[in-house]
Amino acid sequence: MCRIVRAPRALLPLLAALLQASVEASGEIALCKTGFPEDVYSAVLSEDVHEGQPLLNVKFSNCNGKRKVQYESSEPADFQVDEDGMVYAVRSFPLSSEQAKFLIYAQDKETQEKWQVAVKLSLKPTLTEESVKGSQEIEEIVFPRQFTKHNGYLRRQKRDWVIPPINLPENSRGPFPQELVRIRSDRDKNLSLRYSVTGPGADQPPTGIFIINPISGQLSVTKPLDRELIARFHLRAHAVDINGNQVENPIDIVINVIDMNDNRPEFLHQVWNGTVPEGSKPGTYVMTVTAIDADDPNALNGMLRYRILSQAPSTPSPNMFTINNETGDIITVAAGLDREKVQQYTLIIQATDMEGNPTYGLSNTATAVITVTDVNDNPPEFTAMTFYGEVPENRVDVIVANLTVTDKDQPHTPAWNTVYRISGGDPTGRFAIHTDPNSNDGLVTVVKPIDFETNRMFVLTVAAENQVPLAKGIQHPPQSTATVSVTVIDVNENPYFVPNPKIIRQEEGLHAGTMLTTFTAQDPDRYMQQNIRYTKLSDPANWLKIDPVNGQITTIAVLDRESPNVKNNIYNATFLASDNGIPPMSGTGTLQIYLLDINDNAPQVLPQEAETCETPDPNSINITALDYDIDPNAGPFAFDLPLSPVTIKRNWTITRLNGDFAQLNLKIKFLEAGIYEVPIIITDSGNPPKSNISILRVKVCQCDSNGDCTDVDRIVGAGLGTGAIIAILLCIIILLILVLMFVVWMKRRDKERQAKQLLIDPEDDVRDNILKYDEEGGGEEDQDYDLSQLQQPDTVEPDAIKPVGIRRLDERPIHAEPQYPVRSAAPHPGDIGDFINEGLKAADNDPTAPPYDSLLVFDYEGSGSTAGSLSSLNSSSSGGEQDYDYLNDWGPRFKKLADMYGGGDD
């Protein structure tokens, strides 16, 4: 038989009570006396002090009930006192075994009278496990078994036996391992057994929480338990022999973790936001706040209660709201919510477990922000009873007056937005009122022109109301009214012609100086003494003039209906009427003259050119008449040929087809090809009729069998028209002008080049210093020298005597010349230097040598010459005997040379 030994159940509530925080306060009842009834308040705590933990309640005797007392603590950093006398901890700190002592002060707010009382806190000794063990006996749990006889043997039979669960408080302080129960089997007397437990908390995660002594069967817990993590453990106990054979059926052991109040309530949000309309009745739902507690919700540790700690502001009542202590619903309990006075309330909500027990329960706080929403409980009110404005006449879209209102409701909401309307004084709808969305002002605007001569002032009645109607129960009128006085300002207006346009009917052909009509304008400014003067603004044909004072219109030229300025028989002329106001104004008027036709245009043949064959058959010429007049001064027309010259009627015949067309045919059988001018007499149907001899140019040509001309090109070339000749002449003239312009341009460019050359400074003219030639020899002035001197000596021929008349002034005279050394045809390269030096000496001694170093051309250029540069050779003779003053007469080009060789000793 196996047993489990455990502690008695009666001791467990005692252990739970010892682990709860407890406060004991003592006091004696005394007679009514203002002040604290006790000198010292004491509290014994069973655990360390936590932030927000209520410690004790100090009582203050207020005999007359009229004193307003304010509490203070001598240790404000550690302890605070509520208005109801509840002392709570400001912060968490361990309470030592020694007593903690501080003072509580109570002060009358009006009289400033002050009282004090001392508070002592001490730590209550904790009941140890050893003391508990001394008062309990370990209970044994024996494996259940039943013996039956079967075939002469006793046999164990399983029976149903539910072992009561083991209740173990969470957060136990030990010591550990802590013994719970002892499991044993009654067969341990005959066999050596081994005990074990399995399940979560033993050999399954979390492992190692529960252990069992395999020999004695003692089940122990190794560390504190946390109900919020695992609220129940389900283990199975086993008993086996030393060989591992099961000797007992496993039994179930249930361990319940007893909840302790070790978790504070936690609000889902630290700040809760809600709204309530202003003017709400008591009992109106506002919002719900919710807190949770990790402790057992079915025990006192997890049962929460809510309450409102404070309300800010406290107007119009300090208790405008209340909260359902179980559900957290916040509702209104007082009337008087007015957004215009208080727009927002802030409530401090406290949630406390232990069903709200202030002594044993843990609490936490959150903030509830309640916004009072606006309703339309204030109508708009005009800031003045009468508004004034003015507007110039004939102006539209002008703001006349600015209407201002006040509305205490929340801005930019339908309860604040104002709608204006005109209720009287504007029967013709000349004004409108628009609302400024930013300022809520009413802008009175003119929408139709106003005439000062008709209305000088308007008195409007306007009303203002909100976009939404007032809330029910509001005693104010729904709208406000005011008057707007609008003064119309007279301005100078434009004169206007009446009628405009003015239409008159006149026959064309009127002579200059004929008075047609009087076209005058009216001035709308009846109250201004102004004069109007008239001028002509538009007269395309310059036919008319207008009197500047009386507006009489007279012709200055003959009116012609056929003028290109007449459209559809109507001639338009525009006139300007201007007054002398400030500023001067003007208006225009149009005179339309409908011109009646007279027979003043003779008909003309159409077309003016035609062609026909040399023989009468097979074709003829169809003609008609062009008359710029209109009926009845136009067709039908009469066509005829003149009597002279006689060849006309002899060669041609004309036949009238109808009132507008006739046919011209050859009268003779053959007419030589060429161009003929046939005069035709055309008479219209006017009264009196008008006739005209019109020339028809007929081109007679050779025709084929189809009646088409075959020599049109020849005839056209022979009869080249005047227009073609003019075009050809214009082309020739344009071509000549282009050639002339090109020649002028070339001459101008040559002049510019010469001018640029003259602008060059002679000192900078390099042409006087450096001359470039295509051959090695003298410059331009040395071309007449005999270059045979520079050739090989053996090939030199005698000089030819030049005529004196062609010799230049700077040439040397003709006389016996010194004998220059003659070198062989093929000298040795080594004696080139000697040859040059000898030639230099001869040139220096030659009085006829030119006044400058001439370039000598040699036909032999050997390699490895020992001679130096020719530029280093200096003439030993300065040529002082020569006179070079004549170089000054040669112009600026030779100025440099004249300075070098002329001008005296220097």
Side-chain angles (χ1 to χ4, degrees), residues 11-33:
L11 194 56
L12 292 177
L14 177 60
L15 294 174
L18 292 176
L19 294 174
Q20 297 263 353
S22 63
V23 178
E24 297 180 356
S26 61
E28 297 180 358
I29 302 175
L31 296 176
C32 182
K33 181 181 178 182

Side-chain angles (χ1 to χ4, degrees), residues 532-666:
I532 298 178
R533 298 187 64 84
Y534 303 95
T535 56
K536 185 172 62 174
L537 188 62
S538 173
D539 183 11
N542 197 24
W543 289 344
L544 308 173
K545 71 175 182 178
I546 187 170
D547 189 280
V549 178
N550 56 25
Q552 286 186 354
I553 298 177
T554 310
T555 62
I556 58 175
V558 178
L559 304 184
D560 186 7
R561 191 198 64 83
E562 290 76 29
S563 171
N565 297 308
V566 178
K567 306 297 181 183
N568 298 325
N569 301 328
I570 297 177
Y571 179 75
N572 292 311
T574 306
F575 299 91
L576 182 69
S578 303
D579 60 21
N580 58 348
I582 301 175
M585 303 299 291
S586 61
T588 60
T590 301
L591 177 65
Q592 293 183 340
I593 306 174
Y594 187 88
L595 294 174
L596 302 176
D597 185 41
I598 62 174
N599 195 12
D600 58 344
N601 292 280
Q604 299 177 3
V605 67
L606 190 71
Q608 295 181 355
E609 295 182 355
E611 62 181 27
T612 185
C613 298
E614 295 174 330
T615 60
D617 296 329
N619 52 5
S620 59
I621 301 173
N622 293 327
I623 61 175
T624 185
L626 173 65
D627 196 334
Y628 290 105
D629 294 325
I630 59 176
D631 291 336
N633 299 319
F637 300 98
F639 300 90
D640 198 2
L641 296 176
L643 297 177
S644 62
V646 295
T647 57
I648 298 301
K649 282 200 171 185
R650 184 181 61 191
N651 296 338
W652 304 90
T653 180
I654 190 168
T655 304
R656 182 181 180 185
L657 300 179
N658 53 38
D660 294 329
F661 292 92
Q663 193 174 73
L664 180 68
N665 295 289
L666 279 176

Side-chain angles (χ1 to χ4, degrees), residues 381-389 400-405 444 457-462 480-487:
E381 296 180 2
F382 283 103
T383 58
M385 294 301 297
T386 303
F387 296 88
Y388 298 92
V400 177
N402 191 9
L403 310 181
T404 56
V405 296
V444 182
M457 178 175 288
F458 290 87
V459 178
L460 308 178
T461 302
V462 296
S480 177
T481 59
T483 58
V484 182
S485 178
V486 180
T487 302

Side-chain angles (χ1 to χ4, degrees), residues 433-480:
I433 305 179
H434 305 284
T435 304
D436 189 325
N438 296 322
S439 63
N440 209 27
D441 294 344
L443 307 178
V444 182
T445 309
V446 180
V447 294
K448 293 182 181 179
I450 302 174
D451 187 9
F452 172 82
E453 286 70 27
T454 304
N455 296 291
R456 298 187 181 184
M457 178 175 288
F458 290 87
V459 178
L460 308 178
T461 302
V462 296
E465 57 187 358
N466 292 126
Q467 287 182 349
V468 295
L470 288 176
K472 295 181 180 179
I474 303 302
Q475 302 300 324
H476 300 287
Q479 66 181 13
S480 177

Side-chain angles (χ1 to χ4, degrees), residues 137-156:
E137 294 182 0
I138 300 302
E139 183 178 353
E140 291 185 354
I141 298 179
V142 181
F143 281 93
R145 55 182 304 178
Q146 183 178 0
F147 295 93
T148 59
K149 197 165 187 176
H150 182 71
N151 295 329
Y153 296 97
L154 291 176
R155 187 174 182 180
R156 184 181 63 180

Side-chain angles (χ1 to χ4, degrees), residues 112-183:
Q112 302 299 319
E113 189 175 357
K114 200 170 186 179
W115 298 266
Q116 70 178 25
V117 68
V119 177
K120 294 182 179 180
L121 303 178
S122 60
L123 185 62
K124 187 176 181 179
T126 303
L127 188 61
T128 62
E129 295 294 335
E130 288 78 1
S131 61
V132 176
K133 287 182 180 180
S135 60
Q136 68 174 354
E137 294 182 0
I138 300 302
E139 183 178 353
E140 291 185 354
I141 298 179
V142 181
F143 281 93
R145 55 182 304 178
Q146 183 178 0
F147 295 93
T148 59
K149 197 165 187 176
H150 182 71
N151 295 329
Y153 296 97
L154 291 176
R155 187 174 182 180
R156 184 181 63 180
Q157 184 178 13
K158 182 178 180 182
R159 59 183 178 180
D160 295 332
W161 183 33
V162 179
I163 300 176
I166 302 173
N167 295 325
L168 184 61
E170 65 174 333
N171 301 326
S172 175
R173 296 185 178 180
F176 298 102
Q178 179 182 348
E179 203 174 276
L180 301 180
V181 294
R182 184 175 292 113
I183 302 173

